[in-house]
């Protein structure tokens, strides 16, 4: 496995298979190493959930298959380090518990390791971990002091093993008097805590040791909190926090000294600076979590740190020839100020007093924007010599190598500070420069130069460092859009170019896209742009279209856009945020596209999605589901987001109502344009799915419709009922019509008018309205005088019971039966004269007999969910609309959206008290039936191969049979038998035919009529596109044999010896008339060449020649047509049992 580059799906299921093997001692040290190599293979895929699940399974496989007596705890820990803890192995998961149990059971059986006590052997997991911490913390005297920060790998390993050892200890003491967790931690972490306690006072502690101690602190704090529900009362994390806080003052003072006392003097020290700032951020967060009190150890260093950084930066302003140490300290000071700004943004308790804050704000605002950090002189530093192409040399100080990265980070930190400043003083930003009264904060009160500087820096910064610039633009552009529209449009363009260039860079693309959306689609910007209706409005719509287009090839892009816009509009509607809800109507195209969004994926994409769903359905059984945050980038989350947004709108609010009505009109237009489209329309095609989503959304919007609005759209709704649609769409249309007629009975005359069109015009589309009529009991609920409606319903139903179309008659009978039962229930005596006719008709339908499927279909249609179980009012819910109906109507599973997915999508709140989240139990328990209502090319539900009742073409889709997936390797005859296909004894020889179109057509004809085999001159013809166009995959279901023209004589003689009669299609003096000829069962049909017919040498091999009787002047037919006529005549005779000796 390790020698191959596996795709995500196979490596996942191979890993799952390994994890399912029975426990056995199969792997030693080399085996564990090989499994570790396989683990590395899982890292190649960018499918994070699949990657995490594969790692979980491989760890389970290791626990089942490893012989613990042949591996050491060092081997096990090295294997565990191959896992990504942030994807697979986290505290609190079921997998973590399994690992702890496994270590607890086997810890004394592991092979002895070189890491251990004085004798070199560890006695237990405890001893191993204690020694591991001691080795990690101590700094060997012989080791040369390095300027580089140590690799984080050892810190990760030590933190992981410490937490495992603590939890294993907890398992052991579970049923005895439990030791204090604090003491258990002390057993392992004493050397480390001792070192942390000395950081603030011991100025001579080796740098390597301090770095390692701080790295371990960060890793322990990141890893100790359990995932899931067990995080609330976890003793281990609480004890660890207490231990860390006991050393907080020492660590804080150490960080303050290192960041402010010019001790960081090399470029490599900037990585060390990031370590210190990370430690400081962790301590601040921990102190806030435990309770921020005035004068706590962490708070005491914040103000001195801020003041020292400002002092350093002020000194740097006047420095003429900076040295490396000065420039490094300048970069450190700016990074520290940026970190403090971010911390203050997250934790307002860090805010300094007003006088100190004003001084810092004035200083930050006055800093020259985008000033490059000048490269220092290299005096006193070692020189690196790099040869150039012209033979000269370029000398660079080894200590200042990578200076470009330092400059980029310095600029980034500047913009972090400015972003914080702009958000803090947002109210001071003027709309125009003339509004500035007194310029105390230049960067804030002069927004035009600041925005121009933002555009400039975007061309310099690498993609991973542009987030704070986007945040600044998010604040500035709404203030300037009216007065500086051109500059704002330029900012849109520059930002979009950067985003579109990053589409293949996963790590930076998603955070930048989110910041970009928050900037460009800020509701305040949308509102102003819509009001101006100028170039900015057009540019935003252009970017919107490009993002939707990008979404078709990169799932998740539209999700971020629609989610942010819906959140902004809801906030504006509730008065929480700036901007207006009215802007939603100006950008309703966005909501429209979201309602119908979702592409038809390629097979490989669909496979990935199906496997991800499979993993998600494992729930807590797969640790990756708990550890990894669901990114919600699947296409259906776009529709979930917009549907939840629409459900939260208030139909009594005028702006909401106008928006919903405008969206409904656009949805109907979308359906009409999809119906007129020439795109191929078949079941589960994109066109089918779009129309399905249109009517799902219209059902959701229905409660907001009033009578006046429905007057404007009712004709479009009824017109849609006459349109050829797939079954699922028809059910939604019928449901909506039922709801309209129930709520507004005044539309009944228009409904009755739909039955008055000529039968030839409406054909089977009338079934839609008969289906509506079958729910007459719902329709008449709000009608005081029901007699006229009942009489009209009986009249219409009886009229259509006389239709020549069997399907229409069935639907009419169902409507008649329901209407008649309602009449009897309401004791409607005025129709007593019709009793005999109606009862006779229904009785005849119930006792329908004879050959064919009439009786079966009558029973099927009555048992169908739409007529038997479905209640248009009680089943009106999101679950029915988006899950139950699609499932019962044969829509692909990709379109089923379960109610849990609506609940799991928490970015938009749920209106849990509304009827949308209630569903009918009975309907949800049904299984899909075999009756399908369709108009074009439909099957009317017949299961048998023939029907004497239906006049609608029935098409069999071979690849629609699920049984074929596992039987692709069967022989043709076996495959045909599986499908219930009858194979004749007819051989068709087409070796003399040249044209691929004729061969493709013959192949299709032979397959349709069940010929035994088609003989061709070369099997290469199958790959010809013209052949495939005519054959429509028939070659996959028909045996093809290659016999070259030169081999035909031998082939015909062989078949004659096997008892076949060789029949030629040719006009000769002795030809038999096709109308009179009787084909023997074992017939071989030889077809001639398109131009020359059958050559003389082959005519001599024929037993008989058959010619087709003709009435026209042209005395020849196309060879495919001729062959088709003879193949059909042979099939007809075999079906009628007329086969006999040749005549």
């Amino acid at each position: 496995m390790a020698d191959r580059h596996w795709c995500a799906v196979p490596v996942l299921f191979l890993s799952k298979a390994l994890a399912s093997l029975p426990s056995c001692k199969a792997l030693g040290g080399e085996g564990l190493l090989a499994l570790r190599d396989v683990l590395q293979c899982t890292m190649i895929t960018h499918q994070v959930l699949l990657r995490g699940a594969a790692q979980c399974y491989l760890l389970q496989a290791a626990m089942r298959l490893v012989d613990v007596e042949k591996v050491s705890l060092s081997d096990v820990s090295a294997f565990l380090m191959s896992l990504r803890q942030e994807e697979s192995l986290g505290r609190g998961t079921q997998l973590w518990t399994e690992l702890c149990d496994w270590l607890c059971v086997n810890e004394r059986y592991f092979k002895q390791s070189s890491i251990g006590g004085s004798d070199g052997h560890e006695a237990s997991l405890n001893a191993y971990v204690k020694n591991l911490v001691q080795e990690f913390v101590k700094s060997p005297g012989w080791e040369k002091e390095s300027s580089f920060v140590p690799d984080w790998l050892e810190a990760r390993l030590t933190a992981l093993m410490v937490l495992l050892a603590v939890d294993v200890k907890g398992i052991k003491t579970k049923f005895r008097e439990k030791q204090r967790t604090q003491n258990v931690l002390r057993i392992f972490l004493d050397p480390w805590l001792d070192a942390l306690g000395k950081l603030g006072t011991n100025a001579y502690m080796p740098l390597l040791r301090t770095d390692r101690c701080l790295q371990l602190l960060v890793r322990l704090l990141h890893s100790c909190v359990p995932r899931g529900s067990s995080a609330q009362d976890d003793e281990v994390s609480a004890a660890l926090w207490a231990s860390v806080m006991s050393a907080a003052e020492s660590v804080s003072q150490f960080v303050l000294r290192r960041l402010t006392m010019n001790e960081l003097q090399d470029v490599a020290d900037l990585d060390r600076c990031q370590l210190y700032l990370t430690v400081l951020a962790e301590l601040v967060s921990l102190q806030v979590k435990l309770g921020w009190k005035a004068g706590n150890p962490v708070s005491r260093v914040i103000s001195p740190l801020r003041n020292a950084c400002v002092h350093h930066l002020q000194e740097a302003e006047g420095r003429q020839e900076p040295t490396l140490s000065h420039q490094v300290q300048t970069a450190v000071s700016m990074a520290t100020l940026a970190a403090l700004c971010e911390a203050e943004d997250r934790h307002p308790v860090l805010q300094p007093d007003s006088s100190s804050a004003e001084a810092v704000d004035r200083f930050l605002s006055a800093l020259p924007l985008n000033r490059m950090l000048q490269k220092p002189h290299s005096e006193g530093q070692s020189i690196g010599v790099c040869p150039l192409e012209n033979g000269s040399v370029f000398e660079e100080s080894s200590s200042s190598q990578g200076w470009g990265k330092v400059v980029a980070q310095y600029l980034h930190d500047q913009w972090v500070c400015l972003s914080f400043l702009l958000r803090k003083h947002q109210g001071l930003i003027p709309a125009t420069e003339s509004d500035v009264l007194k310029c105390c904060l230049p960067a804030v009160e002069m927004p035009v130069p600041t925005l121009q500087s933002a555009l400039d820096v975007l061309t310099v910064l690498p993609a991973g460092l542009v987030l704070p610039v986007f945040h600044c633009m998010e604040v500035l552009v709404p203030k300037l859009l009216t007065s500086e529209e051109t500059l704002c449009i330029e900012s849109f363009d520059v930002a979009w170019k950067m985003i579109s260039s990053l589409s293949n860079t996963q790590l930076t693309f998603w955070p930048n896209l989110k910041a970009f959306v928050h900037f460009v689609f800020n509701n305040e910007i949308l509102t102003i742009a819509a009001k101006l209706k100028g170039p900015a409005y057009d540019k935003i719509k252009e970017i919107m279209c490009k993002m939707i287009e990008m979404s078709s090839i990169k799932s998740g892009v539209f999700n971020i856009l629609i989610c942010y816009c819906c959140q902004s509009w809801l906030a504006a509607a509730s008065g929480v945020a700036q901007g207006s809800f009215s802007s939603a109507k100006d950008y309703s195209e966005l909501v429209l596209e979201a309602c119908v969004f979702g592409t038809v994926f390629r097979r490989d994409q669909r496979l990935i999605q199906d496997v991800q769903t499979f993993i998600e359905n494992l729930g807590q059984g797969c640790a990756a589901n708990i550890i990894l945050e669901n990114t919600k980038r699947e296409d259906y989350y776009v529709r979930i987001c917009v549907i939840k947004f629409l459900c939260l709108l208030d139909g009594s609010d005028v702006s909401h109502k106008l928006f919903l009505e405008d969206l409904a009109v656009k949805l109907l237009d979308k359906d009409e344009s999809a119906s007129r489209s020439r795109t191929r329309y078949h079941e589960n095609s994109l066109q089918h799915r779009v129309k399905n989503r249109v009517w799902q959304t219209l059902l959701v919007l229905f409660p907001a419709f009033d009578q006046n609005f429905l007057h404007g759209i009712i004709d479009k709704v009824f017109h849609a009922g006459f349109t050829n649609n797939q079954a699922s769409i028809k059910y939604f249309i019928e449901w909506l019509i039922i709801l309209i007629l129930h709520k507004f009975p005044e539309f009944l005359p228009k409904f009755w008018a739909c039955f008055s069109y000529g039968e030839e015009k409406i054909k089977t589309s009338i079934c839609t309205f008969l289906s509506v009529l079958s729910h007459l009991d719902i329709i008449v609920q709000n009608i005081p005088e029901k007699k006229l409606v009942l009489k009209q319903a009986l009249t219409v139903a009886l009229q259509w019971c006389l239709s020549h179309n069997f399907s229409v008659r069935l639907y009419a009978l169902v409507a008649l039966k329901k209407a008649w039962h309602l009449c009897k229930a309401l004791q409607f005596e005025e129709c007593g004269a019709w009793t005999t006719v109606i009862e006779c008709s229904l009785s005849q339908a119930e006792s329908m007999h004879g050959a064919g499927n009439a009786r079966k279909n009558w029973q099927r249609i009555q048992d169908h969910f739409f007529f038997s179980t479905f209640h248009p009012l009680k089943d009106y819910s999101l679950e029915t609309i988006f899950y139950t109906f699609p499932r019962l109507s044969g829509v692909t599973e990709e379109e089923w959206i379960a109610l849990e997915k609506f609940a799991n999508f928490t970015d938009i709140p749920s209106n849990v008290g509304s009827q949308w989240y209630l569903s009918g139990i009975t309907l949800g328990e049904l299984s899909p039936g075999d009756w399908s209502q369709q108009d074009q090319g439909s099957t009317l539900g017949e299961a048998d191969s023939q029907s004497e009742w239906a006049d609608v073409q029935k098409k069999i889709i071979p690849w629609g049979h699920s049984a074929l997936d596992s039987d692709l390797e069967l022989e043709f005859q076996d495959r045909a038998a599986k499908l219930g296909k009858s194979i004749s004894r007819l051989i068709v020889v087409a070796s003399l035919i040249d044209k691929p179109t004729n061969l493709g057509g013959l192949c299709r004809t032979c397959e349709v009529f069940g010929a035994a085999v088609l003989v061709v001159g070369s099997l290469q013809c199958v790959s010809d596109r013209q052949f495939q166009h005519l054959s429509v995959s028939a070659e996959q279901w028909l045996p093809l044999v290659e016999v070259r023209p030169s081999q035909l004589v031998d082939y015909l003689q062989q078949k004659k010896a096997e008892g076949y009669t060789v029949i030629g299609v040719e006009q000769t003096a002795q030809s038999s008339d096709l109308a009179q000829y009787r084909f023997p069962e074992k017939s071989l049909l030889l077809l001639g060449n398109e131009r020359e017919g059958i050559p003389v040498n082959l005519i001599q091999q024929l037993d008989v020649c058959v010619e087709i009787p003709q009435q026209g002047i042209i005395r020849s037919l196309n060879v495919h047509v001729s062959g088709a006529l003879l193949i059909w005549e042979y099939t007809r005779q075999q079906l009628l049992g007329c086969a006999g000796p040749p005549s």
Side-chain angles (χ1 to χ4, degrees), residues 593-620:
E593 289 302 321
C595 291
V596 299
F597 180 73
T599 57
V600 178
F601 291 107
R602 301 190 313 267
R603 184 177 299 177
D604 58 327
Q605 294 171 318
R606 200 162 58 243
L607 178 63
I608 293 290
Q609 286 209 329
D610 290 345
V611 174
Q612 285 185 331
T613 302
F614 166 76
I615 296 170
E616 289 170 0
N617 290 339
L618 295 175
Q620 294 190 351

Side-chain angles (χ1 to χ4, degrees), residues 990-1009:
S991 297
L992 299 174
I993 298 176
D994 297 325
K995 293 184 178 179
T997 50
N998 288 332
L999 287 170
L1002 271 170
C1003 181
R1004 182 174 180 177
T1005 302
C1006 290
E1007 197 282 328
V1008 167
F1009 292 117

Side-chain angles (χ1 to χ4, degrees), residues 725-793:
N725 282 309
Q726 296 290 337
S728 63
I729 301 167
K730 296 184 79 66
Y731 298 144
F732 286 129
I733 296 173
E734 292 158 10
W735 190 0
L736 183 59
I737 294 175
I738 293 168
L739 294 177
I740 291 173
L741 296 178
H742 168 264
K743 190 174 181 180
F744 304 104
E746 51 269 31
F747 291 113
L748 271 171
K750 283 183 174 288
F751 174 67
W752 300 128
C754 294
F755 292 98
S756 62
Y757 292 104
E759 185 175 348
E760 288 305 314
K761 180 179 179 181
I762 57 181
K763 297 185 179 178
T764 56
S765 294
I766 200 65
C767 295
T768 293
F769 300 94
L770 291 169
S771 295
V772 172
L773 194 58
S774 68
H775 289 278
L776 188 64
D777 55 331
I778 305 297
I779 295 171
V780 300
Q781 281 185 3
N782 295 328
I783 302 176
E785 185 57 45
K786 299 179 173 59
K787 293 181 179 180
L788 290 177
V789 178
L790 291 173
K791 187 175 181 180
Q792 182 70 33

Side-chain angles (χ1 to χ4, degrees), residues 972 981 1002-1003 1006-1007 1011-1014 1034-1040:
F972 285 104
K981 176 180 172 182
L1002 271 170
C1003 181
C1006 290
E1007 197 282 328
V1013 67
L1014 173 64
E1035 69 275 8
Q1036 299 179 26
W1037 310 97
L1038 172 72
L1040 298 181

Side-chain angles (χ1 to χ4, degrees), residues 63-116:
M63 290 188 286
R64 285 177 175 271
L65 303 179
V66 163
D67 183 354
V68 294
E69 295 178 355
K70 295 181 179 179
V71 298
S72 65
L73 282 169
S74 300
D75 297 329
V76 172
S77 59
F79 176 79
L80 294 177
M81 285 316 299
S82 300
L83 299 167
R84 293 186 180 178
Q85 288 177 256
E86 67 276 12
E87 294 176 2
S88 55
L89 186 60
R91 284 195 74 231
T93 62
Q94 184 178 325
L95 184 63
W96 180 275
T97 305
E98 289 177 21
L99 179 58
C100 290
D101 290 338
W102 183 74
L103 288 171
C104 184
V105 170
N106 296 298
E107 67 166 325
R108 293 193 175 276
Y109 303 102
F110 285 106
K111 176 184 170 184
Q112 295 173 340
S113 169
S114 59
I115 300 179

Side-chain angles (χ1 to χ4, degrees), residues 126-157:
N126 289 359
Y128 170 76
V129 174
K130 284 172 64 178
N131 288 319
L132 190 66
V133 174
Q134 288 174 359
E135 292 292 328
F136 177 76
V137 170
K138 77 178 182 181
S139 179
W142 49 264
E143 188 170 338
K144 182 181 178 181
E145 193 74 29
S146 171
S147 61
F148 295 101
V149 175
D151 192 283
W152 283 80
L153 184 67
E154 288 187 65
R156 286 179 52 225
L157 169 63

